[in-house]
Each structure stands twice: as C-alpha cells, then as structure tokens.
Short mmCIF file of all heavy atoms in Angstrom, two decimals:
data_model
loop_
_atom_site.label_atom_id
_atom_site.label_comp_id
_atom_site.label_asym_id
_atom_site.label_seq_id
_atom_site.Cartn_x
_atom_site.Cartn_y
_atom_site.Cartn_z
N LYS A 1363 104.59 103.65 95.18
CA LYS A 1363 104.79 104.07 93.80
C LYS A 1363 106.22 103.78 93.37
O LYS A 1363 107.15 103.93 94.15
CB LYS A 1363 104.46 105.56 93.64
CG LYS A 1363 103.00 105.87 93.92
CD LYS A 1363 102.68 107.34 93.67
CE LYS A 1363 101.20 107.62 93.92
NZ LYS A 1363 100.86 109.04 93.62
N LEU A 1364 106.37 103.40 92.11
CA LEU A 1364 107.67 102.99 91.57
C LEU A 1364 108.27 104.09 90.70
O LEU A 1364 107.60 104.63 89.82
CB LEU A 1364 107.50 101.72 90.74
CG LEU A 1364 108.71 101.27 89.89
CD1 LEU A 1364 109.90 100.90 90.78
CD2 LEU A 1364 108.33 100.10 88.98
N THR A 1365 109.53 104.40 90.96
CA THR A 1365 110.33 105.23 90.06
C THR A 1365 111.49 104.38 89.57
O THR A 1365 112.18 103.74 90.36
CB THR A 1365 110.87 106.49 90.76
OG1 THR A 1365 109.77 107.27 91.23
CG2 THR A 1365 111.70 107.33 89.80
N CYS A 1366 111.69 104.40 88.26
CA CYS A 1366 112.77 103.60 87.66
C CYS A 1366 113.61 104.48 86.76
O CYS A 1366 113.09 105.14 85.86
CB CYS A 1366 112.17 102.44 86.86
SG CYS A 1366 113.42 101.40 86.06
N TRP A 1367 114.91 104.49 87.02
CA TRP A 1367 115.87 105.18 86.16
C TRP A 1367 116.45 104.15 85.18
O TRP A 1367 116.96 103.11 85.59
CB TRP A 1367 117.00 105.78 86.98
CG TRP A 1367 116.59 106.96 87.83
CD1 TRP A 1367 116.70 108.27 87.50
CD2 TRP A 1367 116.01 106.93 89.15
NE1 TRP A 1367 116.23 109.06 88.54
CE2 TRP A 1367 115.81 108.26 89.56
CE3 TRP A 1367 115.64 105.90 90.02
CZ2 TRP A 1367 115.26 108.60 90.81
CZ3 TRP A 1367 115.09 106.22 91.26
CH2 TRP A 1367 114.91 107.56 91.63
N SER A 1368 116.39 104.47 83.90
CA SER A 1368 116.77 103.48 82.89
C SER A 1368 117.29 104.18 81.64
O SER A 1368 116.91 105.32 81.34
CB SER A 1368 115.56 102.61 82.53
OG SER A 1368 115.83 101.79 81.39
N ALA A 1369 118.13 103.48 80.88
CA ALA A 1369 118.59 103.96 79.57
C ALA A 1369 117.70 103.43 78.45
O ALA A 1369 118.10 103.43 77.29
CB ALA A 1369 120.04 103.54 79.34
N SER A 1370 116.50 103.00 78.80
CA SER A 1370 115.57 102.45 77.80
C SER A 1370 115.31 103.43 76.68
O SER A 1370 115.16 104.63 76.89
CB SER A 1370 114.25 102.09 78.48
OG SER A 1370 113.24 101.83 77.53
N GLN A 1371 115.21 102.91 75.46
CA GLN A 1371 114.83 103.72 74.31
C GLN A 1371 113.32 103.92 74.24
O GLN A 1371 112.83 104.59 73.33
CB GLN A 1371 115.31 103.07 73.01
CG GLN A 1371 114.67 101.75 72.71
CD GLN A 1371 114.93 101.24 71.30
OE1 GLN A 1371 114.24 100.36 70.84
NE2 GLN A 1371 115.94 101.75 70.62
N ALA A 1372 112.60 103.34 75.21
CA ALA A 1372 111.13 103.39 75.18
C ALA A 1372 110.61 103.46 76.61
O ALA A 1372 109.93 102.55 77.08
CB ALA A 1372 110.58 102.17 74.46
N THR A 1373 110.91 104.56 77.30
CA THR A 1373 110.53 104.64 78.72
C THR A 1373 109.01 104.60 78.91
O THR A 1373 108.53 104.07 79.91
CB THR A 1373 111.10 105.91 79.36
OG1 THR A 1373 110.80 107.05 78.52
CG2 THR A 1373 112.60 105.82 79.55
N HIS A 1374 108.26 105.16 77.97
CA HIS A 1374 106.80 105.13 78.12
C HIS A 1374 106.28 103.71 77.99
O HIS A 1374 105.35 103.31 78.70
CB HIS A 1374 106.16 106.06 77.08
CG HIS A 1374 106.34 107.51 77.39
ND1 HIS A 1374 105.49 108.22 78.21
CD2 HIS A 1374 107.31 108.39 77.02
CE1 HIS A 1374 105.90 109.47 78.30
NE2 HIS A 1374 107.01 109.60 77.59
N ASN A 1375 106.85 102.92 77.08
CA ASN A 1375 106.47 101.52 76.98
C ASN A 1375 106.95 100.73 78.19
O ASN A 1375 106.25 99.85 78.70
CB ASN A 1375 107.04 100.90 75.71
CG ASN A 1375 106.25 101.28 74.48
OD1 ASN A 1375 105.31 102.07 74.55
ND2 ASN A 1375 106.64 100.74 73.34
N LEU A 1376 108.16 101.02 78.65
CA LEU A 1376 108.68 100.35 79.84
C LEU A 1376 107.78 100.60 81.04
O LEU A 1376 107.51 99.68 81.84
CB LEU A 1376 110.10 100.84 80.14
CG LEU A 1376 110.75 100.33 81.42
CD1 LEU A 1376 110.86 98.81 81.42
CD2 LEU A 1376 112.12 100.97 81.63
N ARG A 1377 107.31 101.81 81.17
CA ARG A 1377 106.38 102.14 82.26
C ARG A 1377 105.16 101.22 82.23
O ARG A 1377 104.74 100.68 83.26
CB ARG A 1377 105.95 103.60 82.11
CG ARG A 1377 104.96 104.09 83.15
CD ARG A 1377 104.37 105.42 82.71
NE ARG A 1377 103.54 106.01 83.73
CZ ARG A 1377 102.55 106.88 83.50
NH1 ARG A 1377 102.30 107.26 82.25
NH2 ARG A 1377 101.84 107.37 84.49
N LYS A 1378 104.60 101.03 81.04
CA LYS A 1378 103.43 100.16 80.90
C LYS A 1378 103.77 98.71 81.24
O LYS A 1378 102.98 98.01 81.89
CB LYS A 1378 102.88 100.25 79.49
CG LYS A 1378 102.39 101.64 79.10
CD LYS A 1378 102.14 101.76 77.60
CE LYS A 1378 101.87 103.20 77.19
NZ LYS A 1378 101.79 103.37 75.72
N GLN A 1379 104.95 98.27 80.82
CA GLN A 1379 105.34 96.89 81.09
C GLN A 1379 105.58 96.64 82.58
O GLN A 1379 105.21 95.59 83.11
CB GLN A 1379 106.59 96.53 80.29
CG GLN A 1379 106.34 96.35 78.80
CD GLN A 1379 107.54 95.76 78.10
OE1 GLN A 1379 108.51 96.46 77.81
NE2 GLN A 1379 107.49 94.47 77.81
N LEU A 1380 106.23 97.60 83.24
CA LEU A 1380 106.47 97.45 84.68
C LEU A 1380 105.16 97.47 85.45
O LEU A 1380 104.97 96.71 86.41
CB LEU A 1380 107.40 98.55 85.18
CG LEU A 1380 108.84 98.50 84.65
CD1 LEU A 1380 109.64 99.70 85.17
CD2 LEU A 1380 109.54 97.19 85.07
N ALA A 1381 104.24 98.35 85.04
CA ALA A 1381 102.93 98.40 85.70
C ALA A 1381 102.19 97.08 85.53
O ALA A 1381 101.58 96.56 86.48
CB ALA A 1381 102.11 99.55 85.14
N LEU A 1382 102.26 96.51 84.32
CA LEU A 1382 101.61 95.23 84.06
C LEU A 1382 102.26 94.13 84.90
O LEU A 1382 101.56 93.33 85.55
CB LEU A 1382 101.71 94.90 82.58
CG LEU A 1382 101.19 93.53 82.13
CD1 LEU A 1382 99.69 93.43 82.36
CD2 LEU A 1382 101.51 93.30 80.65
N MET A 1383 103.58 94.05 84.88
CA MET A 1383 104.28 92.99 85.60
C MET A 1383 104.00 93.03 87.10
O MET A 1383 103.80 91.99 87.74
CB MET A 1383 105.78 93.11 85.36
CG MET A 1383 106.61 92.04 86.07
SD MET A 1383 108.40 92.21 85.79
CE MET A 1383 108.77 93.58 86.90
N LEU A 1384 103.95 94.23 87.67
CA LEU A 1384 103.81 94.38 89.12
C LEU A 1384 102.37 94.64 89.55
O LEU A 1384 102.11 94.87 90.73
CB LEU A 1384 104.69 95.53 89.60
CG LEU A 1384 106.19 95.33 89.34
CD1 LEU A 1384 106.96 96.61 89.65
CD2 LEU A 1384 106.74 94.17 90.16
N SER A 1385 101.44 94.61 88.59
CA SER A 1385 100.02 94.85 88.87
C SER A 1385 99.81 96.18 89.58
O SER A 1385 99.08 96.29 90.58
CB SER A 1385 99.43 93.70 89.69
OG SER A 1385 99.52 92.48 88.99
N LEU A 1386 100.46 97.21 89.06
CA LEU A 1386 100.34 98.56 89.61
C LEU A 1386 99.52 99.44 88.67
O LEU A 1386 99.56 99.25 87.45
CB LEU A 1386 101.72 99.20 89.77
CG LEU A 1386 102.67 98.61 90.83
CD1 LEU A 1386 104.05 99.24 90.68
CD2 LEU A 1386 102.11 98.84 92.22
N PRO A 1387 98.80 100.42 89.21
CA PRO A 1387 98.16 101.40 88.32
C PRO A 1387 99.23 102.14 87.52
O PRO A 1387 100.31 102.44 88.06
CB PRO A 1387 97.43 102.34 89.29
CG PRO A 1387 97.32 101.58 90.57
CD PRO A 1387 98.51 100.67 90.63
N LEU A 1388 98.95 102.45 86.28
CA LEU A 1388 99.94 103.11 85.44
C LEU A 1388 100.42 104.42 86.05
O LEU A 1388 101.61 104.76 85.96
CB LEU A 1388 99.36 103.36 84.05
CG LEU A 1388 100.32 103.87 82.98
CD1 LEU A 1388 101.44 102.87 82.73
CD2 LEU A 1388 99.58 104.17 81.68
N GLU A 1389 99.52 105.14 86.70
CA GLU A 1389 99.89 106.43 87.28
C GLU A 1389 100.84 106.29 88.47
O GLU A 1389 101.42 107.29 88.92
CB GLU A 1389 98.64 107.21 87.71
CG GLU A 1389 97.75 106.51 88.71
CD GLU A 1389 96.66 105.66 88.06
OE1 GLU A 1389 96.83 105.28 86.88
OE2 GLU A 1389 95.65 105.41 88.74
#
C-alpha cells in the first residue's frame, strides 16, 4: 500500500492518479 505526503491542492484527485499510474486499487 502506498502513502504519499504532498502539498497537492487536490490530494483526493492525486490519490486517483497515483492508483491509475501504478495499477493499484484505490483503497
């Protein structure tokens, strides 16, 4: 499972993008 610390203004969208890029389940 991935945890990412970021200053993103859209962490919920970033979560979806990282899951898509890495082919990981969103959860």
